[in-house]
Amino acid sequence: MTNGESAGNTLRQTSIGGAVLPWQDVLHEGPVQAVSRPELLRARAGFLSDCGWGSRRAILSSLERRDRQLADALRDGLQVVLWFEHDLYDQLQLLDALAFAREAGGSLEVIVIGSFAGKPSFGGLGELTAEELETLWPTRRAATPEALEAAAAAWDAFRAPEPTALAECAERESLQLPFLAPALQRLLEELPSPADGLSGTERRALQAIAAGPRTPQSAFVAAQGIEEAPFLGDAWFYRALATLGSGPVRLVETQEGEPLPAPPPLGDGHVFTRLPLRLTAEGERVLRGESDRVDLLGIDRWVGGTHVTPENAWRWDHAGRRLIASQR
């Protein structure tokens, strides 16, 4: 089992054998609440469908089939190996899978890496060849009961309606889950900053555009270069950018002074990715910390189980590594 089709397709080319199951969910985006598994899958399917990734019915069917495959493999005592990496996207999928396995019963093994010999700028399993992936096979280790417990606790904290337990997890080093704390710290950056109301993704996007003439495509590449552990797909970056660039008050716009159109997959990706961009005057003020993004644009965003709105605007002070409670 692995993070997506890129690594999954390469795993299918190895001599290891067995079926490959991509976990296929972008858990750092949209609601991930503390509800029953069927309710959670329905909520995820609805969110992903609303973002343009297909019909709710088709997405829900895919998620349910994925869960059944893992549950059946665990029940039947098959050798189940999780292949993941260190970034936020993978670490949240790893939590989901481990917490699921703890509930379902059965044993599994894990391969989780943050680097690879000969690749100083290692970006993930998807960039490795079949031969390189095969060299990782002997490094697999059993997921201990302690690892399953730690993952379940972190999964519960992630899905809680307030991010207090999540912030505590982000400060807790774990021998069982060595990459989890920095990944959760990056997740907390998706809460508004007390300095400007921007998320970490939004600030990187505005910084990239402010550095020179940019298109959404080149801004994505530049913003990824600022990340310590890149995790964001381009379509999700474009979605964040479009949120900042729509409406009468906006922080970014086209060079012609127009709001940004719908991002892919809801809109035309060829048009969107090539638009010349610029910051608005408000965008420049926000980037300097002179205005607040939440005050200007409002906010309606989920970070796990926390629904961030103007009335519930929890903030994360990245420099001070502290959570600031919502002023209700």
Side-chain angles (χ1 to χ4, degrees), residues 1-12 19-25 66 80-85 89-90 93-94 97 111 124-126 133:
M1 197 178 91
T2 191
N3 56 19
E5 287 295 350
S6 178
N9 285 333
T10 312
L11 277 171
R12 293 183 180 100
V20 175
L21 176 62
W23 202 238
Q24 297 286 63
D25 199 356
R66 176 203 70 183
V80 177
V81 184
L82 310 185
W83 297 67
F84 288 102
E85 61 212 39
Y89 175 82
D90 277 47
Q93 288 191 352
L94 179 63
I111 296 171
L125 295 170
L133 286 175

Side-chain angles (χ1 to χ4, degrees), residues 24 30 82-84 97 101 103 117 121 126 131 154 158 160 168 199 202 211 220 225 240 245 256 263 270-271 302 310:
Q24 297 286 63
L82 310 185
W83 297 67
F84 288 102
E103 189 71 22
S121 58
E131 291 75 18
F158 171 55
E168 292 172 4
S199 72
E202 291 171 338
F220 169 70
E256 289 73 32
H270 294 290
V271 172
W302 288 87

